[in-house]
Amino acid sequence: MTTSSRREFMKAAALTGGGLFLGFNWNHAEASPVVVSGENIANGLADFNSYLSIGTDNSITIVSPNPEIGQGIKTAFPLVVAEELDADWSKVKTVQGALDNSKFERQVTGGSGAVPHSWDRLRKAGATARYLLIGAAAKQWKVPASECTTDTGKVFHKASGRSLPYGDLAIAASKLEAPKEVTLKDPKDFKLIGTEVANVDNHNIATGKPMFGIDFHRDGMLIAQIQRPKAFGLKLKSVDAVAAKKMPGIVDVVTFENSVAVVGKSTWEVKKAREVLNIEYEKGADLESSADHDRIFKDLLVNGQPKVHRKEGDIQAAFEEADKIITAEYQCPFLAHSPLEPMNFFAHVRADGVELIGPTQTPDRARGEASKITGIPADKITVEMTRQGGGFGRRLAADYVREAVFVSKLVKAPVKVIWTREDDMTGGTYRPAVRYRFEAALNRAGDMVGYKLRGVGMNAGNPTREDNFPSGAVPNLLIDSVDHPSPITTGPWRAPITNFLAYAEQAFLDEVAEAAGKDPVQFRIELLENAKAKPYGEVKYDIDRMLAVIRLAAEKSQWGKKKGVHQGFSVYFSHRSYVAQVGEVVAVSGAPVLKNVIAAVDCGIVVNKGGSLQQVRGGVVDGTGHAMYGNLTFKDGAPQQNNFDGFRIIRMNEIPEVDVHFVDNGIAPTGLGEPALPPTGAAVANAFYKATGKRLRNQPFILEEAFKGIS
């Protein structure tokens, strides 16, 4: 359900009989929730940015501000509130809030940050509502509040055997003043948090309810499809749209920036008309091919002018005095995001404002772009968020929103832009291609005394993470990078940068461990223990948390003890969480096959175990599939793959079993949407190395000579 204002939330709550309304600020975790009147919420007079309501029918409703892209935030948020409230989960629902950046602090989905940001705020809201309901019951029964307890949506006074459902107490509770401080539950007393709870949208998704942007319809709206240049580096020169305009159902053909839009009454009609456009382009920048990228990478690794991101000790002396030096290079290709739901967006540009509706991970960016295009102030632009059929970072961009706004402005009508699958795959904003060169210096004892990493990326900015392990664990260290500007547009892809960097770093550490004559797991443990005893520079990761997942993964996988099973190890810290994985390869009909991945995860308290398991499993499948098969190549600036017949993704029979184990350390949640993906590639590659004796240094593995004969 999408709502456009606090007034709509009030109306929805009023339908359930009104009751208790609680306002709280997402912006200030330390601020106390307070009771507010429904009338003030409806009239916009309450200075709060989210609301919890308890209706007289026992229903509990909460506004969820963050976009839902499948990470389960729309379930996790109310689950946290319900836990502290001791609610009956079957009575809890959530309403998707619209953009309101004067009220919300972080109305974004990205970086696995929604639950960590909102954890304390949500708990306080639920605990405050519980306090008020207990107070209302105690007052009615004329007993001390300390004698009352709560469970599954009711207040109990066990001494007298009395109980009342929350709905019967909601109005009385609304007359009380909320406390400045409230006691939160001890995590050991959680009843809902940590259990498996079904996604709140499951029924609507399964029954085909129109929840996604591509489902959105409004009577009178037009449909638009955009013809973009066929290659990156081309500029629009001329357009002959005479034939297209004569096609059935076509309203107009308009141009803007470097694009041509066909606008009509149905998707099929505009698609067919777009096919008869006669467009001429001219060269505006270099038309790069994948062969050019290989040459550029190799040249810049040697001759580029690097930017130093971290330097410790005397790196030159460490390598000059080393007993052994290990060097390796790793490379990855561009990747499309390919969410199940292609890009789409609705815009209605009017003289007095702009209405935006659709799937976006960054609604404020959408509004900002609309304001730039139209000149209409941001406070006259509304943004409603639909559920998203996948994002993975692609919907952090606003190019498809800009298209909808431009077209609506030009044709002076409400318009929904719809991309085809081919548009989506060739339309840019890819995971950037990167190449890394690693060097390690070992002394006679097999200790790593020197470490160098140089990254070269296409529009990647800094393609390294200079403060991640093994930084802090090596006395002499140098991490730098070179960026190559390219006309091929790039952007965040699930677990930005670390999605490939983790594979390269962890695969290389296995090479170093082998050269040192040490077990890969023990090698990492030694590095971490050395960093704990004597850190080299600042350590910006939690050594104990990383050690814990390493040991848990080794224990659960029976590391090194299984006969006929070739195991590969990997561990990584990203987005505040720690994940260690063990890939397991076995021989099937004489060929090595990936059969299992064991994951040990420290993401703090697991809010929804069911959703969390799926996040980890999905991350492992995503990481495995793209490491083994994903590849987007270019010829003269044009993508050579435009659909799933050419852009290979993992198939059902290729998915390994994924065995997940969570660390129970009781700390606040630290994020889970992305951290399970980065370590997967190395766990898989290192396992295949154990099985074949051949290193996999380039993705996708399927194109590697060492991969021949592997299933």
Side-chain angles (χ1 to χ4, degrees):
M1 176 180 179
T2 300
T3 58
S4 59
S5 66
R6 293 183 298 276
R7 183 183 297 274
E8 292 304 312
F9 169 74
M10 173 57 193
K11 289 177 181 177
L15 291 175
T16 65
L20 170 64
F21 293 89
L22 202 64
F24 58 101
N25 271 305
W26 296 90
N27 297 14
H28 306 291
E30 68 282 358
S32 301
V34 302
V35 176
V36 292
S37 74
E39 181 180 357
N40 281 349
I41 296 173
N43 293 326
L45 300 177
D47 190 24
F48 297 91
N49 54 41
S50 196
Y51 302 95
L52 164 68
S53 78
I54 300 174
T56 54
D57 67 344
N58 296 312
S59 65
I60 298 168
T61 306
I62 182 173
V63 173
S64 179
N66 288 57
E68 173 61 80
I69 62 172
Q71 82 282 27
I73 203 65
K74 212 172 160 187
T75 303
F77 276 13
L79 190 66
V80 176
V81 175
E83 178 63 72
E84 291 291 346
L85 182 54
D86 274 339
D88 178 352
W89 177 248
S90 66
K91 299 291 186 181
V92 178
K93 61 182 177 180
T94 186
V95 174
Q96 178 67 61
L99 174 65
D100 188 345
N101 63 1
S102 68
K103 302 293 185 183
F104 296 106
E105 182 182 57
R106 188 188 185 278
Q107 211 167 356
V108 173
T109 291
S112 302
V115 170
H117 173 268
S118 303
W119 172 250
D120 286 336
R121 298 157 171 82
L122 293 166
R123 294 186 71 192
K124 286 180 180 179
T128 301
R130 177 177 174 272
Y131 177 96
L132 293 168
L133 292 162
I134 288 176
K139 186 175 181 180
Q140 181 172 327
W141 293 330
K142 295 182 174 57
V143 299
S146 60
E147 294 182 4
C148 298
T149 59
T150 56
D151 192 27
T152 58
K154 293 181 180 180
V155 180
F156 296 88
H157 185 246
K158 294 182 180 178
S160 63
R162 287 175 290 184
S163 67
L164 283 171
Y166 287 171
D168 289 0
L169 296 164
I171 292 176
S174 72
K175 310 297 183 184
L176 304 178
E177 183 176 347
K180 294 294 184 183
E181 300 292 335
V182 67
T183 301
L184 302 178
K185 280 187 179 180
D186 188 312
K188 68 180 176 56
D189 296 324
F190 286 162
K191 300 171 186 175
L192 286 172
I193 288 177
T195 65
E196 296 192 32
V197 176
N199 189 290
V200 295
D201 284 336
N202 276 359
H203 178 75
N204 288 339
I205 294 171
T207 55
K209 294 293 189 298
M211 302 177 60
F212 299 91
I214 207 161
D215 299 325
F216 178 79
H217 173 80
R218 176 173 293 172
D219 289 344
M221 77 177 187
L222 299 175
I223 300 295
Q225 286 194 349
I226 314 299
Q227 183 59 58
R228 303 162 196 86
K230 299 287 188 181
F232 293 92
L234 292 180
K235 292 194 307 181
L236 183 64
K237 183 177 181 181
S238 65
V239 182
D240 179 357
V242 174
K245 289 181 177 180
K246 294 179 180 178
M247 298 282 282
I250 300 307
V251 173
D252 204 351
V253 177
V254 296
T255 62
F256 60 95
E257 295 187 321
N258 207 31
S259 301
V260 182
V262 180
V263 188
K265 296 179 180 178
S266 74
T267 304
W268 180 252
E269 287 171 328
V270 298
K271 182 178 184 298
K272 298 304 292 182
R274 187 174 65 159
E275 293 172 359
V276 302
L277 289 172
N278 186 4
I279 304 176
E280 187 178 356
Y281 295 98
E282 59 186 356
K283 185 178 176 181
D286 291 339
L287 304 180
E288 297 178 351
S289 299
S290 293
D292 298 324
H293 299 155
D294 291 341
R295 173 184 53 78
I296 291 168
F297 280 143
K298 292 173 182 177
D299 176 65
L300 291 178
L301 277 174
V302 177
N303 301 313
Q305 298 299 311
K307 180 178 180 180
V308 175
H309 302 291
R310 181 162 178 164
K311 187 176 182 181
E312 305 287 352
D314 189 338
I315 196 74
Q316 182 176 346
F319 277 82
E320 287 176 351
E321 298 168 8
D323 184 68
K324 188 179 294 186
I325 294 175
I326 303 92
T327 302
E329 294 185 9
Y330 291 77
Q331 185 164 319
C332 71
F334 290 97
L335 287 179
H337 293 78
S338 303
L340 186 61
E341 178 194 22
M343 300 302 105
N344 64 88
F345 217 79
F346 170 88
H348 187 188
V349 178
R350 309 179 308 273
D352 62 343
V354 181
E355 183 182 14
L356 303 176
I357 301 174
T360 172
Q361 293 178 243
T362 51
D364 190 44
R365 178 177 291 174
R367 179 162 65 182
E369 292 298 319
S371 182
K372 290 177 187 176
I373 293 166
T374 63
I376 294 173
D379 62 0
K380 302 295 183 183
I381 301 173
T382 63
V383 185
E384 295 183 33
M385 292 166 279
T386 61
R387 189 180 175 95
Q388 302 172 50
F392 311 107
R394 177 62 181 89
R395 287 186 161 98
L396 290 168
D399 52 329
Y400 57 100
V401 179
R402 288 174 53 83
E403 291 175 344
V405 174
F406 266 118
V407 177
S408 178
K409 179 184 177 184
L410 290 168
V411 302
K412 296 179 172 58
V415 171
K416 183 166 83 168
V417 166
I418 298 179
W419 293 33
T420 64
R421 172 59 59 198
E422 289 79 7
D423 292 335
D424 201 79
M425 199 166 287
T426 61
T429 315
Y430 306 114
R431 192 275 299 271
V434 177
R435 188 175 182 90
Y436 295 109
R437 184 178 67 201
F438 295 88
E439 297 176 71
L442 297 177
N443 62 18
R444 289 187 179 182
D447 301 321
M448 185 163 66
V449 294
Y451 179 87
K452 291 194 284 187
L453 163 61
R454 174 167 295 173
V456 176
M458 298 281 184
N459 300 332
N462 173 16
T464 72
R465 289 292 181 266
E466 62 273 13
D467 294 323
N468 280 6
F469 177 72
S471 293
V474 186
N476 306 286
L477 176 141
L478 175 63
I479 297 177
D480 58 31
S481 70
V482 181
D483 188 46
H484 170 69
S486 170
I488 299 171
T489 58
T490 61
W493 190 93
R494 189 176 186 180
I497 303 300
T498 60
N499 55 62
F500 179 75
L501 175 61
Y503 150 73
E505 286 179 341
Q506 290 293 306
F508 179 67
L509 283 181
D510 258 38
E511 295 197 45
V512 179
E514 182 179 56
K518 297 180 179 181
D519 173 80
V521 171
Q522 190 57 39
F523 180 68
R524 290 167 173 84
I525 290 174
E526 287 178 7
L527 281 171
L528 287 164
E529 289 179 337
N530 290 341
K532 188 172 182 179
K534 184 183 178 182
Y536 300 100
E538 187 176 2
V539 177
K540 295 188 178 181
Y541 49 89
D542 190 310
I543 294 173
D544 289 331
R545 291 180 70 187
M546 186 171 279
L547 284 169
V549 293
I550 289 174
R551 288 170 173 143
L552 182 61
E555 173 196 339
K556 296 299 182 181
S557 67
Q558 300 178 57
W559 175 257
K561 299 176 182 177
K562 294 180 180 178
K563 292 184 178 180
V565 178
H566 306 279
Q567 295 179 315
F569 188 82
S570 178
V571 62
Y572 215 69
F573 158 65
S574 67
H575 297 87
R576 299 169 298 277
S577 294
Y578 299 78
V579 181
Q581 294 179 11
V582 175
E584 295 189 335
V585 169
V586 299
V588 177
S589 300
V593 176
L594 178 68
K595 298 296 288 186
N596 195 28
V597 174
I598 297 96
V601 181
D602 176 1
C603 59
I605 292 171
V606 174
V607 176
N608 178 6
K609 188 174 182 180
S612 297
L613 285 168
Q614 297 312 316
Q615 285 294 305
V616 177
R617 289 168 180 157
V620 170
V621 172
D622 204 5
T624 300
H626 284 94
M628 293 180 74
Y629 308 111
N631 191 31
L632 188 73
T633 59
F634 292 84
K635 184 175 182 180
D636 297 328
Q640 294 181 285
Q641 298 79 25
N642 65 10
N643 211 318
F644 291 121
D645 58 338
F647 187 78
R648 176 85 152 81
I649 61 174
I650 195 167
R651 297 166 183 162
M652 290 293 288
N653 66 327
E654 295 164 339
I655 294 174
E657 292 291 327
V658 182
D659 185 16
V660 183
H661 303 273
F662 292 104
V663 173
D664 183 10
N665 54 18
I667 68 172
T670 54
L672 193 56
E674 289 158 299
L677 186 149
T680 302
V684 172
N686 291 337
F688 276 122
Y689 173 73
K690 290 290 185 66
T692 66
K694 299 176 181 178
R695 295 285 180 190
L696 297 168
R697 295 197 180 99
N698 300 295
Q699 292 183 5
F701 300 160
I702 196 172
L703 298 181
E704 287 282 85
E705 184 70 25
F707 202 77
K708 290 184 178 179
I710 295 177
S711 299

